Amino acid sequence: MSKRTSASASNGGLDKDASVVNQPAVDKQKTLLSADVGHFSLVRAMHLADLITLMNGFCGVMSIFSSLRYCLEPDATAHGNIWLALYFLPFGFFFDAFDGKVARWRKKSSLMGQELDSLADLISFGVAPAMVAFTIGLRSLADTVGLTFFVLCGLTRLARFNVTVAVLPKDDTGKSKYFEGTPIPTSLALDGVMAYWLHNGWILDQVPFGVWLQGTPFEFHPAVLLFVAHGCLMTSKTIRIPKP
């Protein structure tokens, strides 16, 4: 996890073996996850910050379902489900920021937490915004290729972070000094743009910038290039954004 990579503390209640009790939290969690200790060992292995991270993923999945419900609506002028899909995403960002604060407060972090954070971010700030874009009108084959490119760039950016976080320069608190490429939660800017379009009724046949190559296999909406450009920014090696 981008904010949960350096803390260590006892986790308590792993088992009765003193050598295990004295392990750092990350090692104790790994031990519990790999041990044959019952059906609910995964739940007991989770830290509070991990549960908050899952709420980020919950917001992303609910946003996707809301987009799908709009696509199934017989009345295309009923925009409630699209608004709901957009509303869930800032809440996902809240939980994404809050889990790191909780991890540092409790001095408990883990590799599992780091992976959960990346997967939840991919859902809430990658797949869910792409689904909203599809819902409001970016539905041609070329549009979906562009949206898929955006999601895959987010996936690659998160994987790169997990691999390089240990070697990036750190500040006094152990946090990385900067992001390589734009962080995937910056897709909230695209969510804001889509919310503005929705507010003005610029969706479906009224998507800004119109349609190019209409009626051909290469038909696409130029608006999808916003997602393509954002994907390129996420995977950039030269863009370095200081962490707050």
Side-chain angles (χ1 to χ4, degrees), residues 138-155:
L138 306 186
R139 301 183 180 183
S140 74
L141 177 61
D143 289 338
T144 55
V145 170
L147 294 175
T148 301
F149 174 82
F150 162 76
V151 174
L152 294 181
C153 284
L155 175 62

Side-chain angles (χ1 to χ4, degrees), residues 188-236:
L188 285 171
L190 296 174
D191 301 335
V193 170
M194 291 189 289
Y196 179 72
W197 292 349
L198 178 60
H199 174 73
N200 288 281
W202 300 339
I203 64 172
L204 301 177
D205 294 336
Q206 305 298 322
V207 172
F209 314 119
V211 185
W212 289 9
L213 303 178
Q214 190 169 8
T216 74
F218 304 102
E219 175 182 327
F220 75 101
H221 294 80
V224 78
L225 297 178
L226 294 174
F227 287 84
V228 173
H230 192 83
C232 294
L233 291 175
M234 285 193 292
T235 55
S236 171

Side-chain angles (χ1 to χ4, degrees), residues 2-77:
S2 58
K3 321 156 205 85
R4 298 163 56 183
T5 55
S6 60
S8 63
S10 62
N11 194 30
L14 179 59
D15 58 32
K16 297 181 180 179
D17 184 66
S19 64
V20 175
V21 172
N22 292 327
Q23 287 179 326
V26 62
D27 295 332
K28 292 167 65 177
Q29 186 182 61
K30 186 185 299 184
T31 301
L32 184 56
L33 289 172
S34 61
D36 185 12
V37 291
H39 293 294
F40 298 103
S41 58
L42 174 61
V43 177
R44 292 192 290 114
M46 286 186 174
H47 301 154
L48 177 60
D50 299 336
L51 299 176
I52 296 173
T53 302
L54 290 177
M55 290 303 299
N56 175 13
F58 169 84
C59 290
V61 173
M62 289 301 294
S63 174
I64 294 170
F65 284 141
S66 297
S67 293
L68 290 172
R69 276 196 297 272
Y70 175 79
C71 291
L72 296 174
E73 282 272 3
D75 183 7
T77 62

Side-chain angles (χ1 to χ4, degrees), residues 20 22 25 40-41 79 122-123 125 131 134 138 170 176 184 186 188 212:
V20 175
N22 292 327
F40 298 103
S41 58
H79 298 156
L122 180 64
I123 296 171
F125 310 121
M131 189 64 216
F134 177 89
L138 306 186
K170 305 292 194 298
S176 301
I184 192 170
T186 56
L188 285 171
W212 289 9

Side-chain angles (χ1 to χ4, degrees), residues 85-164:
L86 288 167
Y87 288 151
F88 271 116
L89 302 180
F91 283 103
F93 178 74
F94 168 78
F95 289 117
D96 183 49
F98 190 51
D99 60 8
K101 295 183 183 298
V102 170
R104 290 191 293 273
W105 166 54
R106 292 176 61 85
K107 297 182 179 179
K108 290 186 178 181
S109 65
S110 66
L111 292 175
M112 180 177 173
Q114 179 176 321
E115 297 303 321
L116 279 175
D117 187 73
S118 293
L119 293 170
D121 283 356
L122 180 64
I123 296 171
S124 294
F125 310 121
V127 179
M131 189 64 216
V132 174
F134 177 89
T135 300
I136 66 171
L138 306 186
R139 301 183 180 183
S140 74
L141 177 61
D143 289 338
T144 55
V145 170
L147 294 175
T148 301
F149 174 82
F150 162 76
V151 174
L152 294 181
C153 284
L155 175 62
T156 305
R157 189 244 181 271
L158 291 166
R160 181 181 67 184
F161 177 84
N162 288 346
V163 171
T164 61

